[in-house]
């Protein structure tokens, strides 16, 4: 990835996506492609292919558990939360929640 690509990614994040950090990675919601992009913050490289949350749609917000083992993604367009194993990049569960979820958070102890 070159600096122009990173600048474009940063601009896109500021306009329409949420970025969260699970050191040493950043997780970026890509609403238009229903994916999560993982970026190595030290090298600024994209890691692998984006993680698909399909059939869920419109990933809008993301939170990483305090132990950095899971990412919880609010899928605004499908009223669900996708649970991603951060080590494997695999969606391990999809949880149906209320209408138009917009945020998710954890207490410091992960509860």
């Amino acid at each position: 990835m070159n600096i122009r690509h990173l600048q474009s990614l940063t601009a896109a994040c500021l306009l329409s996506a949420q970025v969260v950090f699970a050191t040493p990675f950043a997780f970026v919601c890509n609403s238009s492609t229903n994916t999560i992009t993982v970026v190595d913050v030290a090298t600024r490289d994209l890691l692998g292919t984006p993680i698909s949350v399909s059939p869920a749609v419109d990933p809008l917000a993301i939170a990483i558990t305090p132990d950095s083992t899971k990412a919880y993604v609010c899928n605004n367009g499908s009223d669900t939360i996708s649970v991603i194993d951060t080590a494997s990049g695999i969606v391990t569960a999809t949880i149906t929640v209320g209408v138009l979820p917009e945020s998710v958070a954890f207490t410091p102890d992960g509860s």
Side-chain angles (χ1 to χ4, degrees), residues 75-93:
N75 302 305
N76 190 259
S78 58
D79 306 333
T80 61
I81 292 177
S82 295
V83 181
I84 298 172
D85 178 288
T86 57
S88 67
I90 295 172
V91 175
T92 59

Side-chain angles (χ1 to χ4, degrees), residues 2-95:
N2 61 38
I3 193 67
R4 183 175 303 278
H5 185 97
L6 184 59
Q7 289 169 336
S8 297
L9 178 64
T10 302
C13 292
L14 294 174
L15 292 174
S16 65
Q18 182 187 21
V19 179
V20 295
F21 296 91
T23 305
F25 307 111
F27 290 76
V28 183
C29 290
N30 306 305
S31 296
S32 64
T33 59
N34 301 322
T35 61
I36 306 301
T37 298
V38 183
V39 179
D40 183 316
V41 293
T43 64
R44 299 181 179 171
D45 288 330
L46 300 178
L47 299 179
T49 57
I51 302 164
S52 174
V53 294
S54 291
V57 295
D58 195 16
L60 182 67
I62 188 168
I64 306 296
T65 56
D67 64 3
S68 297
T69 60
K70 296 195 181 348
Y72 283 70
V73 180
C74 289
N75 302 305
N76 190 259
S78 58
D79 306 333
T80 61
I81 292 177
S82 295
V83 181
I84 298 172
D85 178 288
T86 57
S88 67
I90 295 172
V91 175
T92 59
T94 302
I95 305 165

